[in-house]
Amino acid sequence: LDMTIRTFEKRNMNVAAYFGWPENGDFISKIKPDAILNRSHGRFHQGQAGVELMASKVDAPLIRSLSLQFDRKTVDEYRSTKDGLRGPGLSIGTVVSELDGTIAPIVTEGLEKDKDGRKRETGISERLERLADRVEKWAQLRRKANRDKKVAIVYFAGIGKAEFTGAGLNIPRSLVRFLSGMRQAGYQ
């Protein structure tokens, strides 16, 4: 955690670290962050109630920082294969946290062996720099007027002449409503 905080502070970003569950939503709503970095293992804050609380009180992207801790891999072991995250690291780190609205997951920490062969947690400096880049860009995007933002909407209908539907939805009608809502929100 210290390496993560230092990475952001050297870019003159204000960092507020907190631990615990019950008061997270109130604490975060008081400091009004530009972005939230989620490092929790499991649901972020009170499950679905926390998701609703965050959506109603905090308007900030929730970005996911991942650890190799659940895979018990050292950073060198992780880099030596193309396996990526597996098992609990994948399910807890990405799938479960996505239920809470986290975005842009990136592995930023793992384990390293000390001189006695014991594994201890360590940050991955180039990954932390990439994470800090992402957070800066999300913060800049939040400050831009909607009319100045560029948005791409991609719909993949499948192969062949399949109907223009997704999960039974009428895609053209849904897109018209969605785009109308964007226009009302100030997008060009």
Side-chain angles (χ1 to χ4, degrees), residues 111-164:
L111 302 170
E112 68 180 1
K113 288 185 180 177
D114 66 15
K115 63 181 175 159
D116 298 319
R118 291 180 298 222
K119 292 181 177 179
R120 64 182 183 87
E121 202 167 359
T122 186
I124 306 171
S125 59
E126 72 275 4
R127 297 292 190 105
L128 287 168
E129 291 295 336
R130 190 177 317 159
L131 175 64
D133 288 342
R134 285 183 184 177
V135 170
E136 279 183 323
K137 288 175 183 169
W138 276 104
Q140 290 167 0
L141 185 62
R142 287 188 73 231
R143 292 185 201 109
K144 268 188 180 183
N146 286 347
R147 69 179 174 277
D148 298 327
K149 295 176 184 175
K150 296 178 183 180
V151 179
I153 299 170
V154 179
Y155 173 76
F156 178 70
I159 298 170
K161 296 181 179 182
E163 290 185 36
F164 200 45

Side-chain angles (χ1 to χ4, degrees), residues 11-36:
R11 293 171 179 237
N12 294 318
M13 294 177 161
N14 291 323
V15 178
Y18 66 90
F19 299 89
W21 294 99
E23 304 82 22
N24 285 356
D26 291 332
F27 173 74
I28 293 171
S29 68
K30 288 176 186 167
I31 63 171
K32 298 181 182 2
D34 284 322
I36 301 166

Side-chain angles (χ1 to χ4, degrees), residues 50-172:
V51 173
E52 292 165 9
L53 174 71
M54 293 297 288
S56 67
K57 288 190 170 189
V58 182
D59 177 29
L62 183 57
I63 299 167
R64 183 70 171 121
S65 172
L66 299 170
S67 172
L68 298 172
Q69 177 180 342
F70 289 103
D71 291 1
R72 300 300 302 155
K73 288 182 182 177
T74 65
V75 174
D76 290 337
E77 291 166 342
Y78 174 74
R79 288 180 172 152
S80 71
T81 71
K82 294 183 180 185
D83 291 347
L85 289 177
R86 297 278 188 250
L90 178 63
S91 60
I92 293 171
T94 59
V95 177
V96 171
S97 66
E98 191 174 281
L99 295 172
D100 294 337
T102 62
I103 59 170
I106 181 173
V107 173
T108 57
E109 57 191 56
L111 302 170
E112 68 180 1
K113 288 185 180 177
D114 66 15
K115 63 181 175 159
D116 298 319
R118 291 180 298 222
K119 292 181 177 179
R120 64 182 183 87
E121 202 167 359
T122 186
I124 306 171
S125 59
E126 72 275 4
R127 297 292 190 105
L128 287 168
E129 291 295 336
R130 190 177 317 159
L131 175 64
D133 288 342
R134 285 183 184 177
V135 170
E136 279 183 323
K137 288 175 183 169
W138 276 104
Q140 290 167 0
L141 185 62
R142 287 188 73 231
R143 292 185 201 109
K144 268 188 180 183
N146 286 347
R147 69 179 174 277
D148 298 327
K149 295 176 184 175
K150 296 178 183 180
V151 179
I153 299 170
V154 179
Y155 173 76
F156 178 70
I159 298 170
K161 296 181 179 182
E163 290 185 36
F164 200 45
T165 64
L169 298 174
N170 182 321
I171 299 301

